[in-house]
Amino acid sequence: MDAKHTADLVVLTIRDDLLKILLVVRENEPFRGRLALPGGFLRPGEDLERTARRELAEETGLEAHQLPLLQLHTYSDPDRDPRGRVITTAYLAIAPDLPTVAGGTDARSADWVEVDDSLREQLAFDHWIIIDNAMERIRSELEYTPLATSFCPQVFTLSELRRVFELVWGVTMDPGNFRRKVATIKGFVELTGRKRHNRDGGRPADLYRRGRARTLNPPFRRPVGAR
């Protein structure tokens, strides 16, 4: 029997001060009513990235033409789908301030859900494995690349950047130590010369943008107790 191919998407953003993932509720069998990653079958004439972008728009209403997609991994366990041999390629997307979503086509609904270990028992197929792999890649890349800035808007405060590390690594970080670590990494972030005034009347916060570095040197090591 020939294998069928699908594309699935791990789309992450920070909303309501929580790390959230885009999930759908399946309308059809198998796993009707269960949470799942958005995604679907490859169509004739499509490459997998086009499939991923089309399925994301159809199932969630999220327009993905400008959303950066990173190919994560291909999953080919023979028993991963009860319908038969289905091989999926997972894509990872990270962006700030992604909008409200709504279910469409074969998704009963779509929503942003907090990334939490409780999802392990709620997800269809092997989608928890895919999410777990994606999260470990992100946790690792935060140490060695400027990936954390992908969760931030074009200009951001160091407090906002620190919160990305805290949410992804599951730790609380000292603001002063964080600021000093960032300052030692050349090209990680750059001052914009602008400030953001706090609503409570406190000291205005410096605004930064992503720097030119592609790798962090020295690395930003995970603290003890981090995921």
Side-chain angles (χ1 to χ4, degrees):
M1 181 179 179
D2 292 336
K4 296 182 178 179
H5 295 264
T6 60
D8 289 310
L9 296 109
V10 178
V11 184
L12 295 162
T13 194
I14 293 177
R15 293 169 61 89
D16 306 318
D17 198 38
L18 295 170
L19 178 63
K20 293 194 174 183
I21 186 168
L22 180 56
L23 296 177
V24 301
V25 175
R26 289 182 57 79
E27 180 61 46
N28 301 326
E29 296 291 355
F31 303 108
R32 184 180 182 185
R34 293 276 292 275
L35 291 172
L37 295 170
F41 285 97
L42 181 72
R43 289 180 178 174
E46 286 184 337
D47 61 27
L48 283 166
E49 184 171 323
R50 183 176 175 185
T51 298
R53 294 185 185 278
R54 173 181 55 77
E55 287 287 343
L56 185 62
E58 290 178 356
E59 291 192 343
T60 72
L62 186 62
E63 292 298 332
H65 59 281
Q66 292 185 330
L67 194 65
L69 296 185
L70 172 68
Q71 192 172 128
L72 180 64
H73 190 67
T74 295
Y75 297 83
S76 58
D77 188 303
D79 300 320
R80 63 174 303 274
D81 192 315
R83 293 169 293 191
R85 191 69 194 274
V86 178
I87 297 169
T88 196
T89 298
Y91 288 85
L92 174 64
I94 297 170
D97 304 323
L98 290 175
T100 300
V101 291
T105 61
D106 57 353
R108 182 184 303 173
S109 61
D111 203 357
W112 295 102
V113 179
E114 183 180 0
V115 179
D116 186 271
D117 286 346
S118 65
L119 292 176
R120 181 190 301 270
E121 307 301 327
Q122 302 178 56
L123 285 156
F125 306 106
D126 55 356
H127 288 184
W128 171 253
I129 294 173
I130 296 173
I131 294 171
D132 196 40
N133 291 166
M135 288 305 304
E136 184 47 44
R137 178 162 178 172
I138 293 168
R139 291 176 190 125
S140 178
E141 292 216 9
L142 257 59
E143 296 187 75
Y144 301 103
T145 75
L147 182 66
T149 60
S150 298
F151 287 98
C152 298
Q154 286 190 338
V155 295
F156 50 87
T157 66
L158 286 187
S159 294
E160 291 171 328
L161 183 63
R162 186 182 78 249
R163 189 61 180 148
V164 174
F165 284 86
E166 291 180 333
L167 289 170
V168 173
W169 283 346
V171 295
T172 300
M173 307 182 76
D174 178 78
N177 287 340
F178 180 83
R179 179 180 293 273
R180 285 189 288 273
K181 284 184 178 181
V182 170
T184 66
I185 304 172
K186 185 177 179 180
F188 184 9
V189 296
E190 298 174 349
L191 277 167
T192 65
R194 298 160 54 193
K195 293 182 181 290
R196 180 182 297 162
H197 293 275
N198 296 316
R199 294 179 181 178
D200 60 6
R203 183 178 178 181
D206 290 320
L207 288 170
Y208 294 79
R209 66 170 67 93
R210 178 173 178 162
R212 297 183 180 182
R214 295 190 176 184
T215 59
L216 303 186
N217 186 21
F220 201 119
R221 298 292 188 186
R222 274 184 257 191
V224 175
R227 295 191 182 107

